[in-house]
Amino acid sequence: MKKSFLFKLKEGFIESLVFISGNLAILIVFLIVFFLFKEGIGLFNQQPLEEGTAIMLNPTNPIKELKPEEIKQIFEKEIRNWKDLGGKDEPIVLFTLSDVDRLFTLEELGSSFEYLPSKIGEYIMNNPGVIAVFPEKYLPPKIKKFHMKNISLKDFVGGKEWHPTATPAVQLGVLPIILGSLLVSLGAILFSLPIGLAVAVYLSELAPKNVHQVLKPTIELLAGIPSVVFGYLGLALLVPFVADFFDLPVGETALSGSILLGIISLPTIITLSEDAMKSTPSELKEASYALGANKWQTISRVIIPYAKSGIISASLLGIGRAIGETMAVIMVTGNAAVIPYLLDYEGHFKNPFYASVRTITATIASELGEAPQGGIHYQALFMLGCILFIITFIMNLIAEGLNLKKR
Amino acid sequence: MAFKKKFFQGFAFSIFYLFSFLVFALVFAILGVLLYKGIPAMSWEFITKAPEDGMTKGGIFPAIVGTLALIAGASLVAFPIGILAGIFMNEYTYDNWVRKFIRMITNNLAGIPSIVFGLFGMSLFVNTLEFGVSLLAGSLTLGILVLPIVIRTTEESLKFIPLDFRLTSYALGATKWQTIQKVVLPAAFPNIITGLILSISRISGETAPIMFTVAAYFLPKINLAWNEQVMALPYHLYVVSTSGIDPESTSRIAFGTALVLTLIVLILNLLANWIRKSMSK
Amino acid sequence: MFKIDAQEVNLFYGKMHALKNVSMQVEANEIVALIGPSGCGKSTFLRTINRMNDLIYGVKINGNIKIDDNNIYSNKVDVNELRKNVGMVFQKPTVFQKSIFDNVAYGLRVNGITKSSVVKEKVEKALVQAALWDEVKDNLKKSGLALSGGQQQRLCIARTIAVEPNVILMDEPTSALDPISTSKVEELLLELKKEYTIIIVTHNMQQAARVSDKTAFFYVGELIEYDKTPKIFKNASIELTQNYVGGKFG
Ligand SMILES: Nc1ncnc2c1ncn2[C@@H]1O[C@H](COP(=O)(O)OP(=O)(O)O)[C@@H](O)[C@H]1O
Ligand SMILES: [Mg+2]
């Protein structure tokens, strides 16, 4: 009996679903990349300014360029003269909404501030040293907005200050945040790699069967605990302990983050390194014993070298896990966006692990909720997401490549 | 010489024993603390009531329900697609570059940090497709997050079924899909189930992907609909423990929430392990 | 007209030339045994007869195989239909995770026979033919996997004959069984021969001698000698064959 046409149609339909689902992963990764960049890339077409504000200078002012940190210094009165910025010797006059009542009477402004723009214009024209910052809707008719240079990738990645909501000029330097992530993850791996390797060696070469049967599931259990639970335990127990033990004013430090992330990445490192060591061919081990090596010599000179690429790959995945971890670090690292310098102001060494740091993940998680959609802060957070994605993607690729080489 | 050899071995091995024991003890210390601090919060009200008084009193019922809803929603997304994709990988590709490429992509998908999924879900589902912050957006985001787990375990489980079973079925005149549906899948099912349970456990524990796609800060009324926000256990724990209103009473609630969440996740993991073990016998 | 007529079959696994110019004719209601050292291409040849090799990646086949004068490699052939007509039994019993009844009914159902009275009747007939009925008739609902190895293999045979094929291919069907089960399967083969044409791969010379009408000796992808079984075992015309059946290598 031949299979009916309808039957073939049904199977064809199901098989096309199989085909589509099978290739969906590719589409999803593509979509993730696309949407992260789509939301983030607009950042580089923007001036580092608070949404909807305009900066204006007197037309005779020769200054062509102002950096966000210079604007910040002007507003904090650290810079008081244009000559400090390479301009004429002219004191800087700040002019913002808060000066309006002082300078003009209500009659001059009109009942619904309809004359405000022209008054602003007049004031700017009359004061050669003025720098005016107003909402765009009060832009005076004849005066051109001062154009700040668009944010560049260099300013973004290399910038040392992260003040995404500063007024009027935002500062979007993510260097301290990237360094924060790297520092915490580095600490994590320093902590978890030796322990993880020791446990992996024990599991793969030394543990009696019944111990293995208990220890292995225990480690899987550890892998299963949600990261927010780790975060909370870290906050409630580890942070006070670190403050006490290291005699620090606050326990919310890179160190706490590293310890916690170290614990979280332990199962990854243990499981993958154990697999790598277990794949050592038994002929190699036997050859080593046959030459009179004892167990430890065999482990250190045959098994570990053989499993090297697997162990490196495990460490990379462990670091990747640590860099990508959000909830645990957000609760214990203190979230200060400052560069973890090795030296203090007087040039003495200071341990960066004792400082509060903020990671990429914690920044995104704690700020995205308040950043208006499509705004400059929002775009910057998505750009941070892109950076995180790229870092972990590269690590995964290398780890994968190392694994493939072995097989 | 022999003594030195022995000494080094003894020294190295004692370190291995020590660290292994420490890790073992650490896991039990964590569980112990959760139990010790969490059990006092446990009560019938805690499980069945909404939070009260700025989350310093009452229970976590809406968060439990929300997490269950997310499990259901994300499973609905991930299970069918993941199983079909696993079938594709093992039955419809050969051991060539197509399979290697897709496997590499899937592995990388599994390695993407969960906060990135949150960003992606927010951009695509919440904003672009205009689902809003909703159960739908959260389920899709979490579903995609666990997709690699489902794909991989399905693929691995199918690999275990000997070729002869497929050939036998073909030799009886069955088509490829009939063979997969009636012979291969039923035989692989117990193993696939473990993957599904593991992904449920992952769904219940994730916070970062739901923060911006579905999770509500406080929503005592339970209103399950695709376009509504829900509370969820992991996000609730984060909120309670960082709001810092009244550390004394929130710590009780937080430990209680942490215990419930951990128990859910661990019981699911143990169940998956148990199924895997009892099947491999 | 021959039941099966293979002409100059060549098969490649990628670059590996696994079958070299194999030609062989089989008449209806014959049992043909394929013998030869392992890796010589017996299974490969067997699988060309129901196009099972189509499922293996990178296989190239040329030459002609006809069953009942129809070229089975022609584009017009429905492969599923062909495979239904050419049943196959494997070395290890491949009982599905289903009840005894559903195992035998599987082939019927996938071929669109679902009416329960018809299915029931055909299942019973197949189990009787496979000499398993008396042993299982009271617990048809039990899992097929609960049977003993020998019973499982007979269940597989029952499942094969339930779809009423013309030809049955068997790849070392008794090599995983104990002697008693083996002799039961052998008896069954002699019984089945009345209705079916059977090709059986075997490693066991005595088995080939006991059950087959003709024997084909394969060596490194070539069909060295093919003749009546007594001739092959008593006075083969080629020395290589004599050496092999005489146990000088293998
Ligand atoms: N799927 C395959 N892919 C590649 N080579 C194969 C495959 N199956 C069998 N071969 C090779 O073809 C040759 C014949 O194998 P086979 O027909 O299984 O031998 P036999 O059944 O006589 O022991 C062997 O060298 C074997 O390695
Ligand atoms: Mg064979």
Side-chain angles (χ1 to χ4, degrees), chain B residues 117-122 125-126 132-139 141-142 208-215 229:
Chain B
F117 284 95
L119 287 173
F120 168 66
M122 176 172 185
F125 302 127
V126 177
V133 178
S134 62
L135 189 54
L136 180 59
S139 300
T141 309
L142 284 174
I210 61 173
M211 280 175 127
F212 311 113
T213 54
V214 47
Q229 285 183 263

Side-chain angles (χ1 to χ4, degrees), chain A residues 147-164:
Chain A
H147 249 281
M148 294 183 67
K149 250 193 17 202
N150 283 353
I151 300 166
S152 70
L153 185 62
K154 201 178 131 244
D155 297 338
F156 183 67
V157 178
K160 293 180 184 158
E161 300 284 333
W162 174 258
H163 299 294

